[in-house]
């Protein structure tokens, strides 16, 4: 087995006040480039009568539907190389023009974005600012996340679109990278948008079978270099069986194989295991609601100090996860190293428990308060890592906290009811190419995903500051400030950052770029064989 670890560094260049252009291709690849990847070479190969180049693959996760205006369908489109946004994020976490080739900020609420010329959809329809406008408005109106763009209006100005936000929103350009804003041909039959959306990427959907597969073929109208791999089948395969499937030859590439299965690759030479530290994190959420036992910040801090994240990351990742003490993995690049969180310190945990009024008065090894033993219940779904919860249970009970584990078929009901102590969670921290949405939705007062009911006027003020921080240095400083508030208040206990794992049969596919953000995968640079 070949193992190559690709490290991504942030070079996040927000476009606020600047003009950015270009579509430079990335160089962080998991396999050596084929010498023959051009469209001319592919055509010559076909002329010589060779077989059509085809691969089978398994996506990070199989999401139902392909319509970017519905749920997370756009993430399927970007993973499959079908859908494109105006602006994208490359493997070095830089913003790049995709269907836009220039953009600039005109004032605090106004942006001018130039639509790339000469682009056609896979059906041959020309990409126009009018179609882009209609596609964006459709996603904003229909998708539950559409309000995150804070958009007041879109106007066509020649080859440009003029965007006006409802208020200063410095993450606007970054938010255009969210796959829900993949541009589809709104003049085509929108009844087929969930199964065969017409897009501009290097590949097009030829067949979609719900819960089974997505069939892809080269988009001959693609505005960039035509891919040399002509057809791809994306199969619905669970993470626990992806390694077995690639060893059996059922698939040629697997994104997101379970780390517990990778030992099966030992001694296998033609399967490359490529990793990059991803932008996802895994955590547990504390119930901070008034009246709950974990509304006491000292108790939350005590549990954080009682947690050895090195142990938890090793248990969870089997060598493919990095301990995490703050809201963002290093890959994201918001100067997380400047944030002081809680490291493993049993003595400090005991001190804080005592300050919170908890002591072991009867000598049974567990702390009590007002004669009542402290019991913390960890709730998790059956698909969550039992081993991680058991590791936390051992660590917390060593600190004197009686800890129980509650396995649920659907943790969502428990979460939504608010009747919980601790619940497992995990997020893509930059699901809009930027971390502000992640922070605001999870911990801002009244945030859509703030089911721990955490509330801090200080944190809310920093979120407002982020909206108006158009200078990149000021923006990073605000991210550090927000992370420090969260680290001090402990509404959540961050555990580890997940590695993105991709298995590649190098006999079938090469030149695979590793992206920290896992909703990117297929690129036109992929080549067949060695």
């Amino acid at each position: 087995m070949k193992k190559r670890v690709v490290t991504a560094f942030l070079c996040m260049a927000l476009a606020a006040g600047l003009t950015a252009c270009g579509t430079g291709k990335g160089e962080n690849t998991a396999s050596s480039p084929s010498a023959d990847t051009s469209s001319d070479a592919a055509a010559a190969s076909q002329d010589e009568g060779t077989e059509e180049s085809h691969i089978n693959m398994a996506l990070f996760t199989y999401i139902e539907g392909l319509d970017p205006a519905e749920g997370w369908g756009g993430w399927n489109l970007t993973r499959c190389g079908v859908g494109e946004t105006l602006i994208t994020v490359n493997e070095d976490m830089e913003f790049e023009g995709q269907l836009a080739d220039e953009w600039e900020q005109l004032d605090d609420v106004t942006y001018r974005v130039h639509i790339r010329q000469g682009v056609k959809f896979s059906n041959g329809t020309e990409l126009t600012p009018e179609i882009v406008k209609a596609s964006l408005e459709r996603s904003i109106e229909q998708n539950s996340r559409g309000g995150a763009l804070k958009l007041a209006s879109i106007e066509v100005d020649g080859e440009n679109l003029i965007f006006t936000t409802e208020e200063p929103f410095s993450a606007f350009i970054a938010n255009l990278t969210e796959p829900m804003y993949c541009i589809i041909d709104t003049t085509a039959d929108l009844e087929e948008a969930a199964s065969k959306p017409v897009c501009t990427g290097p590949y097009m959907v030829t067949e979609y079978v719900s819960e089974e597969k997505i069939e892809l073929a080269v988009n001959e109208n693609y505005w960039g270099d035509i891919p040399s791999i002509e057809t791809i089948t994306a199969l619905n395969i669970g993470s626990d069986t992806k390694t077995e499937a690639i060893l059996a030859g059922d698939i040629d590439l697997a994104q997101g194989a379970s780390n517990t299965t990778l030992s099966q690759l030992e001694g296998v030479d033609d399967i490359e295991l490529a990793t990059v530290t991803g932008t996802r994190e895994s955590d547990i959420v504390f119930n901070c609601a008034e009246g709950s036992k974990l509304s006491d910040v000292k108790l939350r801090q005590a549990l954080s100090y009682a947690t050895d994240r090195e142990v938890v990351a090793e248990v969870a990742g089997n060598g493919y996860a990095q301990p995490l003490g703050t809201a963002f993995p290093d890959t994201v690049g918001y100067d997380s190293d400047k944030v002081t969180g809680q490291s493993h310190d049993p003595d400090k945990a005991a001190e804080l428990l005592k300050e919170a009024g908890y002591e072991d008065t009867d000598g049974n090894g567990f702390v009590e308060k007002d004669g009542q033993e402290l019991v913390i219940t960890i709730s998790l779904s059956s698909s969550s890592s039992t081993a991680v919860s058991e590791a936390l249970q051992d660590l917390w009970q060593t600190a004197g906290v009686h800890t129980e584990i509650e396995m649920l078929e659907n943790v969502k009901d428990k979460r939504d009811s608010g009747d919980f102590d601790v619940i497992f969670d995990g997020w893509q921290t930059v699901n809009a190419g930027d971390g502000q949405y992640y922070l605001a939705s999870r911990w801002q007062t009244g945030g859509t995903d703030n089911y721990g009911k955490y509330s801090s006027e200080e944190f809310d003020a920093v979120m407002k500051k982020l909206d108006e921080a158009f200078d990149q240095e000021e923006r990073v400083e605000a991210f550090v400030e927000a992370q420090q508030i969260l680290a001090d208040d402990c509404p959540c206990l961050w555990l580890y950052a997940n590695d993105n794992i991709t298995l590649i049969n190098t006999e079938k596919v090469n030149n695979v770029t590793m992206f920290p953000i896992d909703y990117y995968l297929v690129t036109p640079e992929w080549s067949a064989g060695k």
Side-chain angles (χ1 to χ4, degrees):
M1 174 187 68
K2 303 176 183 176
K3 178 180 178 182
R4 181 175 178 183
V5 180
V6 183
T7 305
F9 298 94
L10 177 76
C11 186
M12 191 72 86
L14 280 172
L18 300 175
T19 297
C21 60
T23 56
K25 303 300 182 181
E27 296 180 356
N28 281 357
T29 56
S31 309
S32 301
S34 168
D36 185 20
T37 59
S38 69
S39 57
D40 290 343
S45 176
Q46 290 180 22
D47 290 343
E48 292 171 6
T50 58
E51 291 185 6
E52 177 185 79
S53 56
H54 175 86
I55 65 168
N56 296 321
M57 69 177 183
L59 302 176
F60 178 83
T61 185
Y62 193 90
I63 301 168
E64 279 296 297
L66 301 175
D67 188 345
E70 301 295 334
W72 304 93
W75 292 33
N76 276 334
L77 298 182
T78 50
R79 284 190 178 119
C80 289
V82 172
E84 296 181 310
T85 48
L86 292 177
I87 300 162
T88 189
V89 182
N90 69 15
E91 70 274 22
D92 294 317
M93 296 294 291
E94 301 166 325
F95 293 136
E96 287 185 351
Q98 199 164 56
L99 294 181
D101 54 10
E102 292 182 348
W103 59 91
E104 62 179 328
Q105 183 178 359
L106 303 180
D107 56 42
D108 282 358
V109 296
T110 312
Y111 301 81
R112 178 164 51 216
V113 177
H114 183 260
I115 304 304
R116 187 181 297 278
Q117 298 300 289
V119 176
K120 292 183 178 181
F121 289 95
S122 58
N123 62 0
T125 299
E126 180 182 357
L127 177 76
T128 65
E130 289 80 7
I131 293 178
V132 174
K133 176 179 183 289
S135 180
L136 291 173
E137 289 177 337
R138 180 175 178 269
S139 286
I140 291 167
E141 180 181 348
Q142 294 183 208
N143 199 300
S144 61
R145 304 191 306 284
L149 207 54
K150 300 185 180 182
L151 197 63
S153 66
I154 310 175
E155 301 296 335
V156 174
D157 178 22
E159 296 177 352
N160 302 288
L161 288 179
I162 305 297
F163 295 93
T164 303
T165 58
E166 297 170 343
E167 59 189 42
F169 180 43
S170 63
F172 174 75
I173 289 296
N175 273 259
L176 289 177
T177 70
E178 221 273 33
M180 68 170 285
Y181 301 120
C182 283
I183 305 303
I184 68 171
D185 181 6
T186 55
T187 69
D189 183 3
L190 293 179
E191 292 294 322
E192 294 192 340
S195 58
K196 286 186 180 180
V198 179
C199 301
T200 60
Y203 288 91
M204 57 185 288
V205 178
T206 58
E207 183 183 11
Y208 171 72
V209 180
S210 177
E211 300 184 6
E212 182 182 333
K213 66 177 181 177
I214 306 169
E215 294 285 0
L216 309 169
V218 164
N219 171 14
E220 298 293 346
N221 289 312
Y222 181 53
W223 57 272
D225 293 335
I226 301 297
S228 61
I229 295 178
E230 295 153 287
T231 58
I232 300 175
T233 300
L235 295 166
N236 183 9
I237 298 177
S239 60
D240 289 343
T241 57
K242 287 175 180 175
T243 300
E244 180 181 346
I246 200 168
L247 288 172
D250 297 331
I251 55 176
D252 308 303
L253 182 143
Q255 183 190 34
S258 171
N259 55 56
T260 61
T261 66
L262 301 180
S263 60
Q264 300 176 44
L265 298 173
E266 293 298 332
V268 180
D269 292 332
D270 57 353
I271 305 298
E272 182 172 0
L273 191 164
T275 70
V276 59
T277 300
T279 53
R280 284 186 182 271
E281 55 83 11
S282 290
D283 62 58
I284 56 171
V285 175
F286 293 129
N287 188 343
C288 303
E290 185 176 352
S292 71
K293 66 190 76 169
L294 285 164
S295 63
D296 187 338
V297 65
K298 290 186 182 295
L299 177 54
R300 301 197 301 267
Q301 290 172 341
L303 293 174
S304 184
Y305 277 113
T307 303
D308 188 334
R309 291 167 176 79
E310 296 279 350
V311 169
V312 173
E314 182 58 35
V315 168
N318 195 29
Y320 297 94
Q322 312 305 318
L324 186 64
T326 186
F328 293 103
D330 290 341
T331 319
V332 178
Y334 292 134
D335 283 359
S336 298
D337 58 334
K338 296 181 180 178
V339 180
T340 303
Q342 295 85 26
S343 56
H344 185 221
D345 188 339
D347 291 338
K348 185 66 174 177
E351 177 186 330
L352 286 164
L353 283 171
K354 188 173 182 179
E355 289 180 12
Y358 294 98
E359 294 187 77
D360 180 9
T361 57
D362 59 10
N364 72 344
F366 294 122
V367 297
E368 310 104 30
K369 182 178 182 179
D370 299 329
Q372 185 172 357
E373 186 173 273
L374 174 62
V375 180
I376 300 293
T377 300
I378 302 174
S379 302
L380 67 156
S381 67
S382 56
S383 61
S384 299
S385 173
T386 304
V388 172
S389 60
E390 290 174 347
L392 286 173
Q393 183 181 46
D394 290 343
L395 289 164
W396 291 357
Q397 292 195 160
T398 299
V401 178
H402 184 163
T403 307
E404 297 182 348
I405 298 172
E406 179 183 46
M407 298 290 297
L408 302 168
E409 284 297 321
N410 183 3
V411 77
K412 183 178 182 298
D413 293 339
K414 169 76 73 170
R415 181 193 74 191
D416 292 347
S417 72
D419 182 23
F420 65 91
D421 294 332
V422 173
I423 282 185
F424 266 89
D425 202 10
W427 271 62
Q428 169 59 265
T429 61
V430 286
N431 67 317
D434 178 86
Q436 185 172 343
Y437 176 83
Y438 160 71
L439 292 182
S441 62
R442 295 199 67 191
W443 295 292
Q444 195 164 349
T445 302
T448 55
D449 299 287
N450 184 2
Y451 47 81
K453 304 303 179 186
Y454 169 71
S455 181
S456 163
E457 291 182 2
E458 186 182 10
F459 181 79
D460 293 347
V462 176
M463 290 295 96
K464 180 64 175 176
K465 184 188 296 186
L466 263 175
D467 278 341
E468 301 171 356
F470 293 103
D471 177 79
Q472 179 64 3
E473 289 186 8
E474 291 180 8
R475 190 166 177 76
V476 172
E477 288 174 2
F479 271 114
V480 171
E481 187 177 354
Q483 290 179 83
Q484 189 61 63
I485 293 169
L486 293 176
D488 293 341
D489 287 352
C490 285
C492 170
L493 199 161
W494 294 275
L495 298 172
Y496 54 91
N498 303 273
D499 283 357
N500 289 350
I501 298 170
T502 301
L503 307 182
I504 307 161
N505 182 341
T506 55
E507 296 289 337
K508 299 296 294 289
V509 59
N510 273 293
N511 210 28
V512 176
T513 300
M514 294 296 296
F515 293 91
I517 301 179
D518 56 55
Y519 54 65
Y520 296 118
L521 178 62
V522 176
T523 71
E525 288 78 24
W526 282 16
S527 58
K530 287 186 175 180

